[in-house]
Amino acid sequence: MSIQIFGLPVSRGVAIGRAVLVASSRIDVPHHFVDPDLVNEEITRLLDARDVVAHEFEVLKRDLPPDAPSELAALLDVHQMLLQDEALIGATADWITSRHYNAEWALSAQLEVLARQFDEMEDAYLRERKADLEQVVERILRTLGRGAPSVVTSAKDFGGDEPLVLVASDIAPADMLSFKRSVFKGFVTDVGGKTSHTAIVARSMDIPAVVGARQASHLIRQDDCIIIDGDAGLVIVDPSPIVLEEYRFRQRQSELERGRLARLRHTPAVTLDGERVELLANIEMPEDGAAALEAGAVGVGLFRSEFLFMNRGMDNLPDEEEQYLVYRAAVDAMKGLPVTIRTVDIGADKPLDGLSPNELRHESVLNPALGLRAIRWSLSEPSMFRRQLRALMRAAYHGPLKVLIPMLSSLHEIRQTLENIAHVQRQLTESGKPFGTVQLGAMIEVPAAALILPVFLRHFDFVSIGTNDLIQYTLAIDRADEAVAHLYDPWHPAVLQLVSTTIHQARGAGRGVSVCGEMAGDPIFTELLLAMGLRSFSMHPSQIASVKQRVLRADTRRLAALLEPVLNSDDPEETCAHLFPAVATPGLASKTLLSVAA
């Protein structure tokens, strides 16, 4: 029976494929693909772990005290039977063979399948045996975790034929990184907001995604056929033939539109009235530079350096040389075009491994968005911060590089940052290592920074507006929390006032100003940002063509004359849609299909 699940639309388009569930577990399970040539070795890992657990059960049963309840021995027998059941181990091996999942992922996938079967049993005693199954699986997972890790391969080498879509309660940043160049055609998660890490990576991959879909991972089964409508925030499970064909038609139309937009990649971004607009790329790794150049970016407006730090504990952070090589590679990849690298923005939804219990409690239970993150963390770890600054300045010797400081909010933080930079310059001079001059910028993502912007403009060469966090902190919501995700509103009058004022003041002071948050890559905001005076947009390479199309059709003088009514409106979105006909609410086309899907 076909069902519909609604969530938040975070990355547009349509994905159709078989569901791959990343099941939640009390054990942190790695999810990656193994090299096709090593599938048999991965199955051997599984069987060896099974044998280790079987031996543990034998020892436990042998060493039971004489007065142990007879039920305990019987329970161990049940666990041994489950351990040898082909429905568990044999089917898990099939996942490894057919999908090239690593053993842990394959085992958790099969647990999900079997758990649902147990839930559907009429006999209460048999239903309760699901707990035994979970205990057996967790023992195997723990054993696998103690053994040698499997060899990871790029998911793009996966040998399956059918399109796949990923369904999970949530997707950790580490898994999102490993899935970044994957076979998955779309994502669905139970939790998350429009600017959660999962949503941002899905947009960067330019694939449809729906987050905040609540019970999706419980309602969808492994290998279900599903449609992800990224425009309407709709997931259709087991669609009827007519609905399936409608969405396949939309996929074909979307591919044709992408082809048309691709022709603009080398066209200069100049408005109808002759205003040149700078379209920059947001990237995460040096190898992303090729995609930025291919998309027609004229530089990198945001290189997120925190991806060097993630999945690494405090005792295993990247040293100066490792960072220098990565930053230099990013500079080299852009072939003389400017590169802006943001200092590490660890915290919130991008924590480090190996936090102390106190840090972990602070980051996870309390609101991590208000905790020790970004520049606050860097200033609290001066040796780490200086290592990064030295690496950045050394990389600047090889090409134009700008350094961007995240989440500054006060003059005190500005002075501390500048003192660290001066200290690093002295160190490099004394050591004789070559280094270059960098332009220094500040991210405006805290309302306090926007409200005292003249102070920032006296100390920095440029500012970059991080709209994701600026919206979060202006509206006092956690943008990763699906319970309040509906309150995340880039059209809120207060947000637009802060963005507009920041652009106006920076241009008036002769300082560079760009927007590197999600608003920059959303074509719905292009005309409005141009009206505000913005001439530098930074976004994922996949978004450049659609924004450029809006730029080429825009007349900034006419748009500027329409700005005041929008900023003075109680409902800027409605006013903007009326004044700028090109602005349309996303998902309208999808709504015509909802009645069909029903």
Side-chain angles (χ1 to χ4, degrees), residues 173 309-312 345-355 360 363-364:
F309 292 75
M310 289 167 61
N311 305 323
R312 303 171 72 155
D345 188 9
I346 284 295
D349 60 348
K350 295 166 287 188
L352 287 174
D353 285 347
L355 292 173
L360 188 61
E363 289 289 333
S364 301

Side-chain angles (χ1 to χ4, degrees), residues 126-139:
L126 291 177
R127 282 199 307 272
E128 290 173 1
R129 299 285 65 76
K130 183 176 79 169
D132 296 318
L133 175 67
E134 290 172 340
Q135 291 167 10
V136 169
V137 168
E138 289 201 7
R139 271 188 173 269

Side-chain angles (χ1 to χ4, degrees), residues 21 33 119 166 271 294 297 300 337 358 406 438 452 484 569:
L21 264 70
F33 294 85
D119 288 339
L166 194 66
T271 64
E294 177 64 21
V300 169
L337 295 174
N358 183 59
V438 300
I452 62 166
V484 293
S569 173

Side-chain angles (χ1 to χ4, degrees), residues 16 54 75 110 157 177 184 255 299 304 332 367 447 520 564 573:
I16 302 171
L75 182 60
Q110 185 57 18
D157 295 329
L177 285 175
F184 297 116
E255 288 169 4
R304 299 182 177 97
D332 291 343
N367 192 323
E564 188 174 351
E573 184 175 12

Side-chain angles (χ1 to χ4, degrees), residues 352-560:
L352 287 174
D353 285 347
L355 292 173
S356 70
N358 183 59
E359 289 169 315
L360 188 61
R361 180 168 62 252
H362 181 75
E363 289 289 333
S364 301
V365 180
L366 302 179
N367 192 323
L370 301 178
L372 190 67
R373 60 167 296 199
I375 190 61
R376 299 172 180 178
W377 183 68
S378 293
L379 293 175
S380 73
E381 298 286 344
S383 60
M384 179 284 303
F385 190 34
R386 290 172 182 174
R387 278 198 303 272
Q388 181 170 38
L389 291 173
R390 284 194 299 271
L392 287 166
M393 291 183 180
R394 289 173 59 196
Y397 180 76
H398 303 281
L401 188 148
K402 303 178 182 181
V403 174
L404 184 60
I405 310 297
M407 208 178 163
L408 287 164
S409 61
S410 69
L411 179 59
H412 177 65
E413 289 174 335
I414 293 172
R415 286 173 173 165
Q416 283 185 289
T417 300
L418 296 177
E419 287 169 4
N420 276 281
I421 290 172
H423 180 86
V424 163
Q425 289 173 329
R426 290 194 298 271
Q427 285 182 323
L428 289 171
T429 300
E430 291 168 2
S431 68
K433 291 181 179 179
F435 66 97
T437 301
V438 300
Q439 287 192 42
L440 190 62
M443 287 198 74
I444 305 302
E445 48 192 344
V446 179
L451 292 172
I452 62 166
L453 191 69
V455 174
F456 282 68
L457 298 176
R458 288 196 292 270
H459 292 91
F460 292 95
D461 302 301
F462 68 98
V463 294
S464 186
I465 306 173
T467 52
N468 302 349
D469 274 332
L470 184 61
I471 295 166
Q472 169 174 250
Y473 294 127
T474 301
L475 302 183
I477 60 167
D478 183 347
R479 59 189 174 92
D481 184 350
E482 75 278 5
V484 293
H486 63 285
L487 298 175
Y488 182 89
D489 181 14
W491 288 103
H492 193 287
V495 172
L496 297 184
Q497 290 283 356
L498 289 173
V499 172
S500 181
T501 300
T502 299
I503 294 170
H504 177 74
Q505 290 185 350
R507 283 171 59 91
R511 294 287 190 264
V513 56
S514 67
V515 171
C516 64
E518 291 299 303
M519 283 177 69
D522 190 339
I524 289 175
F525 290 98
T526 302
E527 285 86 357
L528 181 58
L529 291 172
L530 288 171
M532 292 177 178
L534 186 69
R535 298 295 181 266
S536 180
F537 296 66
S538 190
M539 67 205 75
H540 189 270
S542 65
Q543 300 166 317
I544 288 176
S546 55
V547 171
K548 183 181 287 187
Q549 184 181 59
R550 294 289 183 107
V551 169
L552 295 173
R553 296 173 176 175
D555 183 326
T556 60
R557 288 175 297 189
R558 184 185 69 83
L559 293 174

Side-chain angles (χ1 to χ4, degrees), residues 115-441:
R116 290 178 186 273
Q117 293 176 7
F118 275 97
D119 288 339
E120 293 170 357
M121 292 178 179
E122 295 184 3
D123 187 285
Y125 174 81
L126 291 177
R127 282 199 307 272
E128 290 173 1
R129 299 285 65 76
K130 183 176 79 169
D132 296 318
L133 175 67
E134 290 172 340
Q135 291 167 10
V136 169
V137 168
E138 289 201 7
R139 271 188 173 269
I140 301 174
L141 288 172
R142 292 184 191 280
T143 303
L144 284 167
R146 293 195 297 266
S150 55
V151 179
V152 183
T153 186
S154 170
K156 66 183 179 182
D157 295 329
F158 166 71
D161 296 324
E162 289 189 279
L164 303 177
V165 295
L166 194 66
V167 181
S169 175
D170 195 12
I171 305 174
D175 282 340
M176 286 302 296
L177 285 175
S178 66
F179 294 149
K180 192 170 187 293
R181 291 176 177 83
S182 72
V183 295
F184 297 116
K185 305 301 181 185
F187 293 96
V188 181
T189 63
D190 297 345
V191 302
K194 289 189 176 182
T195 55
S196 63
H197 188 81
T198 303
I200 291 172
V201 174
R203 278 191 291 271
S204 77
M205 295 167 66
D206 196 25
I207 61 174
V210 173
V211 302
R214 301 292 176 155
Q215 297 297 311
S217 67
H218 297 285
L219 296 173
I220 298 172
R221 301 168 185 258
Q222 291 281 2
D223 267 358
D224 272 351
C225 176
I226 67 172
I227 295 170
I228 300 175
D229 185 337
D231 297 301
L234 171 68
V235 180
I236 304 172
V237 184
D238 192 19
S240 67
I242 187 171
V243 171
L244 195 58
E245 187 52 41
E246 287 280 356
Y247 274 98
R248 282 177 175 156
F249 174 76
R250 281 187 53 195
Q251 275 188 319
R252 292 191 292 271
Q253 293 297 105
S254 177
E255 288 169 4
L256 290 173
E257 177 62 18
R258 286 170 191 257
R260 287 192 290 268
L261 288 175
R263 298 172 194 164
L264 300 175
R265 67 168 66 98
H266 299 305
T267 302
V270 181
T271 64
L272 293 175
D273 57 323
E275 286 286 312
R276 184 171 291 275
V277 177
E278 186 179 52
L279 299 182
L280 306 167
N282 293 347
I283 67 173
E284 291 145 7
M285 301 173 186
E287 52 266 34
D288 295 337
L293 292 174
E294 177 64 21
V298 296
V300 169
L302 176 64
F303 179 101
R304 299 182 177 97
S305 68
E306 56 268 16
F307 290 97
L308 270 170
F309 292 75
M310 289 167 61
N311 305 323
R312 303 171 72 155
M314 286 295 296
D315 57 349
N316 188 36
L317 295 180
D319 61 21
E320 179 183 330
E321 194 64 23
E322 179 184 349
Q323 292 188 63
Y324 160 69
L325 293 174
V326 170
Y327 303 148
R328 178 178 176 177
V331 170
D332 291 343
M334 292 308 294
K335 303 183 185 305
L337 295 174
V339 175
T340 301
I341 299 180
R342 181 175 68 188
T343 60
V344 60
D345 188 9
I346 284 295
D349 60 348
K350 295 166 287 188
L352 287 174
D353 285 347
L355 292 173
S356 70
N358 183 59
E359 289 169 315
L360 188 61
R361 180 168 62 252
H362 181 75
E363 289 289 333
S364 301
V365 180
L366 302 179
N367 192 323
L370 301 178
L372 190 67
R373 60 167 296 199
I375 190 61
R376 299 172 180 178
W377 183 68
S378 293
L379 293 175
S380 73
E381 298 286 344
S383 60
M384 179 284 303
F385 190 34
R386 290 172 182 174
R387 278 198 303 272
Q388 181 170 38
L389 291 173
R390 284 194 299 271
L392 287 166
M393 291 183 180
R394 289 173 59 196
Y397 180 76
H398 303 281
L401 188 148
K402 303 178 182 181
V403 174
L404 184 60
I405 310 297
M407 208 178 163
L408 287 164
S409 61
S410 69
L411 179 59
H412 177 65
E413 289 174 335
I414 293 172
R415 286 173 173 165
Q416 283 185 289
T417 300
L418 296 177
E419 287 169 4
N420 276 281
I421 290 172
H423 180 86
V424 163
Q425 289 173 329
R426 290 194 298 271
Q427 285 182 323
L428 289 171
T429 300
E430 291 168 2
S431 68
K433 291 181 179 179
F435 66 97
T437 301
V438 300
Q439 287 192 42
L440 190 62

